[in-house]
Amino acid sequence: MNILNRVGKQGFLYVGRIFIFMGLFSFFSSPGFGKPFRLEKIPDQGKNFKCRTCHVSRFGGKEFNPFGNDYKRLGLQAGDNYTEELGALDSDGDGFSNKQEFDAKTNPGNPKSKPE
Ligand SMILES: [Ca+2]
């Protein structure tokens, strides 16, 4: 007896929907999709720009902004920590150090966001 005979077409569709829901749930709850596992490491804990502090997309992902690239280069090398060296850099080249940007609540990875 195959499963379609045992649960009927409606039951089969119901089970299919459950699997689709479980798949979507695991995708959206996976690291890299809005899971801010590194935000607590940076001075503002990501309160101002969340994932876009380091990433190009607000959902995170593999594309990093200039500050994210500097964090990868220096922060990860320093045991996955924000360092004074990172704070002294002007990652996005807008004329303000990353520390100045965090103090002013502007984005150190976006040159259009800078202290007034
Ligand atoms: Ca900036």
Side-chain angles (χ1 to χ4, degrees), residues 90 92-94 96 98 101 106-115:
D90 174 12
D92 60 10
D94 63 6
F96 296 91
N98 296 331
E101 296 231 46
T106 59
N107 191 331
N110 179 352
K112 293 178 182 167
S113 169
K114 56 187 176 185

Side-chain angles (χ1 to χ4, degrees), residues 68-78 85 89:
N69 284 326
D70 282 342
Y71 190 94
K72 278 172 47 182
R73 188 170 54 87
L74 299 173
L76 293 183
Q77 197 174 45
E85 186 181 8
L89 288 178

Side-chain angles (χ1 to χ4, degrees), residues 12-115:
F12 190 72
L13 292 174
Y14 180 75
V15 171
R17 285 188 195 115
I18 289 173
F19 276 103
I20 289 170
F21 175 78
M22 288 168 60
L24 289 173
F25 179 79
S26 79
F27 173 76
F28 284 108
S29 63
S30 65
F33 198 95
K35 188 170 184 181
F37 61 93
R38 192 166 277 127
L39 288 178
E40 75 274 3
K41 307 255 183 185
I42 55 179
D44 71 350
Q45 277 96 44
K47 289 177 185 153
N48 297 309
F49 302 99
K50 298 184 174 59
C51 295
R52 276 194 279 196
T53 308
C54 294
H55 297 266
V56 172
S57 166
R58 68 187 173 113
F59 299 115
K62 293 182 178 176
E63 196 175 352
F64 294 88
N65 67 30
F67 176 74
N69 284 326
D70 282 342
Y71 190 94
K72 278 172 47 182
R73 188 170 54 87
L74 299 173
L76 293 183
Q77 197 174 45
D80 200 353
N81 284 303
Y82 181 84
T83 63
E84 285 186 25
E85 186 181 8
L86 259 170
L89 288 178
D90 174 12
S91 291
D92 60 10
D94 63 6
F96 296 91
S97 71
N98 296 331
K99 181 185 183 323
Q100 287 174 309
E101 296 231 46
F102 280 116
D103 289 347
K105 299 181 179 174
T106 59
N107 191 331
N110 179 352
K112 293 178 182 167
S113 169
K114 56 187 176 185

